[in-house]
Amino acid sequence: MVIMKFGGTSVQDAAAIGRVAEIVRSRQAQHPVVVVSAFAKVTDQLVMMGQQATSGDAETSLQLLEGLRVRHLDTAQKLLGEKGLAKVEGKLQATFAQAEAFLKGLAAIRELSPRSSDQMLSFGELLSSEIVAAALAVRGLDTVWVDSRKCLVTDAKHTRALPLADETRAQAQKHLAPLVRAGRIPVMGGFIAATEEGVTTTLGRGGSDFSAAIVGAALDAEAIEIWTDVEGMMTTDPRLCPDARTIRHISFNEAAELAYFGAKVLHPATLLPAIQQDIPVFVLNSGNAKSKGTRITAQAPRGRDTFRAITAKTGVSLVNVVASRGVMVHGFLRSVFEALDRYAASVDLVAISEVSMSFTMDSKRLPAALLADLERIADVTCEGQQAIICLVGEDIHGKPGIAASVFETVASAQVNIRMISQGASEINISFVIRESDVPRVVQHLHARFFTHAGAAEPGPKKKAVELVANGRGGGNRVKRVSSAGKATAGKVN
Ligand code: ASP
Ligand code: MG
């Protein structure tokens, strides 16, 4: 069995859902269970509508709801035709009627509790899953729409509910497993669940990946596929460096580290239920069904490259705190940490000595009052427009000379490093530079550390494709390296 999760952009319109149908068809032999997000942007719109209604502007929120109705019915009609639409229209309209009544209720009571917010946001996945189930059925797939709230049991922490593993396993085995055994294809909404009492909950924004992992774990699936709109996780941001390519295989810890330092494809923490059970997770591109994507597993084999990836996190401030003369050194660090704690400040990198501490924070989340507090106990400087570059890879553990070659490479790009960090776990090397230096440094580092074709999945028989930047501004050349190691060049469009 394979869990196939399709994100918002993979189901954003009729054409995208048509592609989903073909991708699911290609996996039929593997017994798919399909999990879908709301159509792209719908959850954001539902959030907005809830806020509008609560602030008393029911009219605007109902107008937005009309927009959603048109979009969903339009998409359904394109996919199903008039006849097919007639079969599901009743159910879709019933959901819209509920949403409408709900918005009016919010406008009357002027209060949006976490519990009602969950109810409000659930409409997006309820609608998308109905439409996708019907669209796949019209295309000859034996789908059954399944209510996620029957299969996924959570605690009552509304807006960020956590699954109850035993209860979920029991319900999933009851409601999903028999369908799969009978050769049918369950289609369900991600992100939504319910408490044991049946009250609707959600798993937090972006929670459909979490749903896929939870369902996969509960059904002991062989694999989980996260279909999105990019070619898996990349060696670096392709907008910064045209040579970036897909990482074939990455460990869970590495993926988590990447997410923390700015990679935006998915929150690996949400894959934990699957990883703990050793179920591999694949991140794939629904716009290019042939892509091999990225495979995430608890452990990943050593790649040919030193690192798995390079990330850049911009919009960072570098704060330098030096104990003022005359202030007792004893207790200095404690006072700094206490100040950070008072503002619940989440710092990224820290470097400490007896009388000074430097740390970085997201500039947008750095309160001016924190700096004022620190100034009372220390000399403080704060510089914005900095960036953290982070090289991630478990293979660097215990290998001498790697930090040296990283910093040599940065030096060869004529860039000054402001701060350095490497933890004892040796899973990453991070440092701070000026924001404006980011593209140059990333390109230099990528060229230095990702020179091999076909990154992490060693296998002599596999063909690997390498993108080579073709001088300045030119198109990219593809070097195809055959199993015999001969290189042939072609052009990428
Ligand atoms: N639709 C939800 C969101 O936008 C869940 C998801 O797409 O994963 O947050
Ligand atoms: Mg997502």
Side-chain angles (χ1 to χ4, degrees), residues 28-233:
Q28 243 179 318
Q30 282 143 267
H31 303 287
V33 172
V34 176
V35 176
V36 296
S37 286
F39 291 3
K41 307 249 159 66
V42 167
T43 310
D44 288 338
Q45 286 164 358
L46 291 169
V47 170
M48 217 194 316
M49 285 154 55
Q51 286 163 354
Q52 283 162 347
T54 313
S55 71
D57 191 359
E59 209 169 298
T60 314
S61 75
L62 291 174
Q63 271 166 16
L64 255 173
L65 184 66
E66 265 323 292
L68 282 189
R69 192 197 306 265
V70 170
R71 177 174 173 199
H72 284 84
L73 292 177
D74 226 49
T75 307
Q77 198 243 328
K78 279 196 189 117
L79 287 160
L80 309 171
E82 289 301 339
K83 254 216 212 126
L85 176 61
K87 281 195 214 149
V88 289
E89 191 172 353
K91 251 181 126 179
L92 298 178
Q93 293 288 18
T95 305
F96 281 110
Q98 262 184 39
E100 190 176 327
F102 203 78
L103 286 173
K104 287 180 179 156
L106 288 180
I109 59 170
R110 302 276 179 111
E111 188 199 305
L112 184 62
S113 68
R115 177 172 163 156
S116 22
S117 167
D118 277 353
Q119 177 77 35
M120 188 68 219
L121 298 198
S122 72
F123 295 124
E125 268 74 7
L126 289 173
L127 292 164
S128 68
S129 57
E130 286 282 4
I131 294 171
V132 170
L136 268 51
V138 162
R139 283 156 185 74
L141 296 161
D142 188 6
T143 55
V144 197
W145 179 80
V146 173
D147 190 341
S148 317
R149 297 167 298 185
K150 292 232 160 70
C151 311
L152 254 131
V153 189
T154 67
D155 61 17
K157 276 198 213 84
H158 287 282
T159 74
R160 285 206 146 269
L162 287 170
L164 304 177
D166 294 341
E167 290 77 356
T168 298
R169 175 172 281 269
Q171 293 306 309
Q173 291 292 345
K174 181 168 155 202
H175 295 285
L176 290 167
L179 295 171
V180 178
R181 271 198 296 275
R184 309 198 67 191
I185 304 175
V187 177
M188 55 197 280
F191 177 57
I192 52 179
T195 62
E196 280 181 286
E197 292 74 37
V199 180
T200 301
T201 54
T202 67
L203 304 171
R205 293 302 308 271
S208 294
D209 298 336
F210 199 11
S211 300
I214 295 165
V215 171
L219 294 176
D220 301 309
E222 272 125 50
I224 293 168
E225 297 181 345
I226 305 287
W227 290 87
T228 172
D229 55 359
V230 293
E231 300 277 317
M233 303 186 87

Side-chain angles (χ1 to χ4, degrees), residues 238-249:
R239 286 165 304 183
L240 290 174
C241 174
D243 292 355
R245 55 180 148 75
T246 302
I247 303 167
R248 292 275 165 252
H249 200 158

Side-chain angles (χ1 to χ4, degrees), residues 5 206 209 265:
K5 179 260 169 174
D209 298 336
V265 182

Side-chain angles (χ1 to χ4, degrees), residues 26 33 38 50 69 141 157 198 223 228 242 267 314 340 378 446 448 453 476:
S26 73
V33 172
R69 192 197 306 265
L141 296 161
K157 276 198 213 84
T228 172
H267 290 292
T314 51
L340 291 172
H446 199 276
R448 167 68 183 79
N476 292 322

